[in-house]
Amino acid sequence: MATDWEGMWARGLGRGQAFDANRPEPALVALMERHPFLPTGRALVPGCGRGYSVVQLASAERTVLGLDIAPTGVAAARDFIAEAVGGSQLEAQVDVQQADFFSPDLVSTLGQFDVVYDCTFLCAIQPDLRKAWAEQMSKLLSSEGELITLIFPNGPLGSTGPPFTINEELVRSLLAPHGFESIEVTEVPADQLARGQRGGSEVIAIWKRPSQ
């Protein structure tokens, strides 16, 4: 059964409630500090929620587009972005649009990206969409693009959700047929867990297709 994301937002999803972490994920912040030369150009955040990571990834050299399927979620993200970077030089570098990540027209409409960040998106979709997730990621990323996945909640695969438990082995098995290899896989330390210990463990990874 599809999750009623719009209903969750429309009923009044506050900061820090449910899947809203009330901040950019500390694991993403730490990764960007370890890798200050992540690809510039265009970045995409599917299922961006309130847009914390959209702002986090933005820079003078990198524009970031957040996508969400829920209209009320898009409105909340635009409000947050206006609050966070409105009137600054970064305002022109960020945008949020309502869209279905799995739309067959998405790539032709949006083009390709140099970075895609998946956080609490793969774990939120129905398991029968996972192969389609990997195929769409492959199409959306440029040949030299990098995919960042925050693998959460990390553990043995579960049958109930969302969030559905996922793990590195699952993500690897989904991406390998499309030529992706991991260039870094890091277990997130306890003090960087986005939702604290109550959320369970996390792994953050960077995936890329080897240069031809």
Side-chain angles (χ1 to χ4, degrees):
M1 180 182 296
T3 302
D4 181 17
W5 299 112
E6 171 60 17
M8 291 182 68
W9 280 104
R11 285 189 291 272
L13 181 70
R15 295 189 183 186
Q17 294 181 341
F19 53 80
D20 186 296
N22 200 26
R23 56 178 173 169
E25 295 74 32
L28 174 64
V29 176
L31 182 143
M32 293 178 69
E33 291 173 351
R34 292 195 304 273
H35 298 279
F37 302 110
L38 283 176
T40 53
R42 305 181 71 218
L44 178 71
V45 183
C48 69
R50 207 176 300 269
Y52 306 116
S53 55
V54 173
V55 173
Q56 176 63 33
L57 283 163
S59 72
E61 297 80 28
R62 185 186 302 116
T63 61
V64 188
L65 174 64
L67 298 182
D68 207 282
I69 199 168
T72 306
V74 171
R78 289 175 176 166
D79 286 345
F80 169 75
I81 288 170
E83 173 188 316
V85 297
S88 74
Q89 292 181 337
L90 285 182
E91 185 175 16
Q93 299 296 95
V94 294
D95 189 20
V96 179
Q97 296 181 17
Q98 181 191 354
D100 180 356
F101 174 82
F102 295 100
S103 168
D105 301 323
L106 191 69
V107 181
S108 60
T109 301
L110 299 182
Q112 292 187 310
F113 295 84
D114 305 291
V115 178
V116 178
Y117 175 49
D118 182 295
C119 172
T120 62
F121 183 66
L122 177 59
C123 76
I125 64 174
Q126 296 297 317
D128 61 2
L129 289 173
R130 288 170 177 169
K131 289 185 178 180
W133 169 90
E135 182 176 357
Q136 192 76 309
M137 286 295 187
S138 177
K139 293 175 180 178
L140 285 165
L141 275 158
S142 64
S143 59
E144 297 295 318
E146 295 184 8
L147 170 62
I148 304 170
T149 58
L150 185 60
I151 300 168
F152 161 87
N154 175 52
L157 300 185
S159 59
T160 59
F164 296 94
T165 305
I166 58 176
N167 54 41
E168 176 194 344
E169 291 75 20
L170 171 67
V171 179
R172 189 179 300 278
S173 71
L174 292 170
L175 294 174
H178 300 281
F180 286 92
E181 298 177 359
S182 59
I183 60 175
E184 178 181 299
V185 179
T186 303
E187 185 171 353
V188 177
D191 63 351
Q192 292 179 9
L193 296 174
R195 295 160 184 81
Q197 297 285 356
R198 67 180 176 85
S201 66
E202 302 174 5
V203 172
I204 194 163
I206 304 176
W207 310 84
K208 189 174 180 179
R209 286 172 285 215
S211 300
Q212 302 298 318

